[in-house]
Amino acid sequence: MPATAPRFAASVIRLLLVTTALLATLLAGAAPASAHAALTGSDPKDGAVVDTAPKEVSLTFSEQIALGDDSIRVLEPSGKRADTGDVRDLTAGGVVRYGVDLHAGLPDGTYTVAWQAVSADSHPISGAFTFSIGAPSKTTVEVPEQAAGGGLVGALYDIARYTAYAGFILLAGGAAFVLACWQRGAGERPLQRLVVTGWITLTVSTLVMLLLRTPYTGSGKLADAFDLSGLKAVLETKTGASLVSRLLLLGAAALFVAVLFGAYAKREDLKEKKDLTFGLALGGGVMAAGIAATWALAEHASTGLQPGIAMPVDVLHLLAVATWLGGLAALLVALYRTPGLERAAVRNFSRVAFVSVVVLAATGIYQSWRQVGSWSALTGTSYGQLLLVKVGLVVVLVGVAWISRRWTARLAEDAVADAKAEDGTEAAEEEEAEAEERVTVPEDPARSAQLSRQKAAVATARVKRVRDADPVRTGLRRSVLAEAGVAVVLLAVTTVLTSTEPGRTQEKEVGRAETSPSAPAEPIEVRIPFDTGGEDGRGTARVQLDPARSGANSLHVWLERPNGRPLDAPEVTVAFTEKKKAIGPLPAAPDRVATGHWSAAGVQIPMPGTWELEVMVRTSDIDQVTVTKNVKIG
């Protein structure tokens, strides 16, 4: 086995050990933080019943969001708009709050509040809740079941996001392979087509995302992609500005590609070509970093914890991915489509790929800590689980790359012997060519063209035969093909990660609080007096929660008159709120099982702590009351 292979294996082992140590250190000391926006409160609250109509409805969010016209809609029970449509920013003292004024003279009944916004990391969020004026009533309002960013438009937008990443990888990585690994490849048609395909793919995907942005964050209707007023609004947003900036940079990238495969490919003077290589590498690097920055400025890196550090790190991460995977695609094309690929080019890419993996590991560790934050979030959230899949794919990719590096080392060992054989082959070919020149060729143009095609076919067959007879090159092609296959799956997982709520936020919503030492270790039962104000409206609500711990619980509610006899009621609802952690209210709708008795199974309490138990009792169409009591749940 060549000496290069064990040295590379030892380097990989050391890298993995350092990576593990750093990841453990970072995750162990992580503190909670928010990255996706979420609704944290409202006034009136969800399910609340108020005596008189409020003047406004306000919503509180976990972080800054972008709202447009009709982002908050308040609908009467009949479906008629109850708000003025003028959304006001009420943010003050670090609390992100938005409100909308209501019309005067609103009738009693249940009102629906539907809202939709765009969080600071460019992802659409939406939701709805209800409150009642006077007393609950039936409502004809139907809230769309489809979440913001879903449906056909969401699928098309996700496809465009994936192809945009793929296009950037082919464009930046393919050009980097030519300049850093195989400069003679600038004149090879297959490599030219690869890089140009990357440019076209990225440009078209960016245009599609720009057009779909309006329905993606708004109505969800594909026809709204051609709404000029909506497009104008998109251009005023951070995401719209990033997409337009990317298109402008792609215009400059087109000039770069033209020079790379035009003047540079034809340049023969070594000194001039060296100077042009430096200029293209510098200009291309700046353009690639600028294009990568359009993602960093508009998505996860631009919000949450340490954005000033996260955005440059994200740019480096994207550049490392493009250099590695794009160069891998270029190498694969060269191995299959350009028989003249030099062994030095393969060795050069092996070194470039190793540096890319090191940068990828370092930046990936920081990103993982920033977006996940703790070991529990790494395994207990969808983002963390996707990240583990991504890490596993990277490990597989590194393993296959190690095999490719072994083939590269064997390719280098055979270089001297192959060079001698090639010299003999070239001499024989020259003699054959001279002999052919001495043969009298008929002046018939058709016959001359036929002979030329035959000679070209024979030459192509000879090259293919020599190439396929080389077991080392064949093994390298297969291992690189396997790398490319894993890379495609890895890119798909990465794309899904960009639209998934980070683990920090997911864990914050269902995180674990400290278990209270005074929390009961057995079912709890509380008695709460109530008075709806109507006839036969006084009594006591007896609530039992079993086993009164985090997780699934059974809930029982009994209504009793002052004399102890059961009291029936048309409606009873229960909700739990953990105010300290800003969780809830979590509704529970028990079913009537007997006179004065309601029950519900599987009531989920996400964490232990002190919860506010809220019981709503309605004894007639107009008589109802909501009573509360704090309970400790272990």
Side-chain angles (χ1 to χ4, degrees):
M1 180 182 291
T4 306
R7 285 200 302 269
F8 178 70
S11 300
V12 171
I13 292 173
R14 287 196 296 269
L15 175 62
L16 292 176
L17 289 175
V18 172
T19 298
T20 304
L22 287 174
L23 188 61
T25 303
L26 290 171
L27 292 180
S34 177
H36 259 48
L39 182 69
T40 58
S42 64
D43 186 15
K45 294 182 179 180
D46 183 14
V49 179
V50 295
D51 295 331
T52 59
K55 294 182 178 180
E56 68 174 14
V57 171
S58 63
L59 283 70
T60 305
F61 295 90
S62 60
E63 66 175 35
Q64 199 67 38
I65 59 172
L67 289 174
D69 295 337
D70 290 338
S71 291
I72 301 177
R73 295 180 299 130
V74 183
L75 305 175
E76 294 183 8
S78 63
K80 181 182 176 182
R81 287 287 292 267
D83 62 281
T84 62
D86 183 18
V87 179
R88 296 182 294 115
D89 188 351
L90 306 176
T91 301
V95 178
V96 180
R97 194 163 67 97
Y98 292 86
V100 62
D101 292 330
L102 301 181
H103 295 302
L106 294 176
D108 289 352
T110 298
Y111 288 72
T112 302
V113 181
W115 58 271
Q116 184 164 330
V118 179
S119 63
D121 57 4
S122 81
H123 298 296
I125 54 175
S126 63
F129 63 91
T130 61
F131 71 93
S132 300
I133 299 175
S137 68
K138 294 183 178 180
T139 175
T140 60
V141 177
E142 293 185 3
V143 180
E145 296 181 0
Q146 177 181 306
L152 176 61
V153 170
L156 293 175
Y157 194 89
D158 290 339
I159 292 172
R161 182 189 283 120
Y162 176 86
T163 55
Y165 278 120
F168 175 69
I169 286 173
L170 295 180
L171 172 62
F177 177 83
V178 171
L179 289 173
C181 304
W182 192 31
Q183 296 174 6
R184 196 173 66 79
E188 298 290 341
R189 284 286 184 183
L191 287 179
Q192 293 176 1
R193 285 195 293 267
L194 178 74
V195 175
V196 172
T197 299
W199 183 89
I200 294 174
T201 301
L202 180 55
T203 302
V204 173
S205 299
T206 303
L207 284 171
V208 170
M209 291 172 68
L210 190 60
L211 291 174
L212 290 178
R213 190 68 190 171
T214 297
Y216 178 67
T217 60
S219 65
K221 299 177 181 178
L222 188 59
D224 288 345
F226 304 100
D227 181 5
L228 294 181
S229 60
L231 180 60
K232 180 181 177 182
V234 167
L235 296 178
E236 296 174 354
T237 64
K238 181 173 64 173
T239 303
S242 297
L243 293 173
V244 171
S245 299
R246 188 183 303 168
L247 289 174
L248 294 175
L249 288 168
L250 284 170
L255 179 60
F256 166 83
V257 172
V259 174
L260 178 64
F261 297 137
Y264 181 78
K266 297 175 182 177
R267 193 65 55 93
E268 296 181 357
D269 184 273
L270 294 180
K271 185 178 183 306
E272 291 181 358
K273 193 161 189 173
K274 183 178 180 181
D275 294 338
L276 190 54
T277 300
F278 176 78
L280 285 174
L282 181 61
V286 171
M287 280 186 290
I291 294 174
T294 61
W295 275 285
L297 290 170
E299 297 192 351
H300 288 161
S302 63
T303 185
L305 187 67
Q306 301 176 348
I309 299 175
M311 286 189 288
V313 169
D314 195 51
V315 170
L316 284 176
H317 190 79
L318 285 172
L319 291 177
V321 170
T323 303
W324 183 19
L325 301 186
L328 188 66
L331 177 60
L332 185 64
V333 169
L335 285 169
Y336 275 90
R337 298 296 182 185
T338 57
L341 177 65
E342 300 165 2
R343 290 173 172 82
V346 182
R347 294 195 299 271
N348 290 339
F349 175 71
S350 183
R351 289 191 288 267
V352 170
F354 179 76
V355 174
S356 299
V357 170
V358 173
V359 175
L360 193 65
T363 55
I365 291 171
Y366 173 77
Q367 288 180 327
S368 300
W369 165 76
R370 183 175 178 271
Q371 299 292 359
V372 178
S374 66
W375 289 112
S376 57
L378 189 63
T379 57
T381 65
S382 58
Y383 187 95
Q385 291 162 3
L386 278 172
L387 183 61
L388 289 175
V389 173
K390 179 181 177 180
V391 171
L393 289 171
V394 171
V395 171
V396 172
L397 200 57
V398 170
V400 180
W402 177 70
I403 297 174
S404 298
R405 192 174 176 92
R406 292 183 60 188
W407 285 116
T408 302
R410 292 183 59 182
L411 204 63
E413 286 181 346
D414 297 340
V416 176
D418 290 349
K420 294 179 180 179
E422 288 173 3
D423 289 342
T425 302
E426 289 176 359
E429 290 177 352
E430 289 177 0
E431 291 179 2
E432 183 180 347
E434 291 176 359
E436 291 177 354
E437 289 177 358
R438 290 192 293 269
V439 176
T440 302
V441 179
E443 295 183 358
D444 182 9
R447 178 58 177 164
S448 299
Q450 183 182 10
L451 289 174
S452 298
R453 288 194 297 270
Q454 290 176 350
K455 289 173 61 178
V458 170
T460 302
R462 184 190 301 117
V463 170
K464 186 177 184 300
R465 185 169 58 253
V466 172
R467 183 190 67 186
D468 293 341
D470 185 352
V472 176
R473 191 178 291 266
T474 300
L476 181 60
R477 286 203 310 272
R478 290 174 179 172
S479 62
V480 171
L481 181 62
E483 284 186 75
V486 177
V488 170
V489 181
L490 176 63
L491 182 59
V493 174
T494 301
T495 305
V496 175
L497 271 175
T498 62
S499 58
T500 302
E501 184 180 7
R504 284 182 181 271
T505 310
Q506 291 186 37
E507 190 180 54
K508 184 178 180 180
E509 294 174 354
V510 293
R512 295 166 176 79
E514 297 78 15
T515 303
S516 172
S518 58
E522 56 186 10
I524 61 172
E525 184 173 309
V526 296
R527 302 177 68 89
I528 313 174
F530 66 87
D531 185 357
T532 64
E535 184 180 357
D536 196 21
R538 295 180 59 190
T540 302
R542 181 164 56 95
V543 182
Q544 184 185 83
L545 192 67
D546 186 10
R549 293 180 180 176
S550 58
N553 292 263
S554 63
L555 174 70
H556 294 273
V557 180
W558 291 273
L559 298 186
E560 299 173 350
R561 291 185 172 88
N563 60 9
R565 299 186 62 183
L567 171 65
D568 218 358
E571 183 180 10
V572 173
T573 62
V574 179
F576 296 86
T577 304
E578 223 287 17
K579 292 187 175 181
K580 187 178 293 184
K581 299 294 183 181
I583 299 176
L586 305 178
D591 297 320
R592 183 179 180 276
V593 295
T595 301
H597 181 199
W598 290 259
S599 174
V603 177
Q604 292 290 331
I605 305 297
M607 66 179 68
T610 300
W611 290 77
E612 181 185 81
L613 171 64
E614 179 181 279
V615 181
M616 190 280 292
V617 179
R618 181 168 64 87
T619 56
S620 69
D621 290 341
I622 61 173
D623 299 320
Q624 74 174 46
V625 69
T626 299
V627 291
T628 63
K629 185 165 185 143
N630 290 336
V631 295
K632 291 182 179 180
I633 299 176

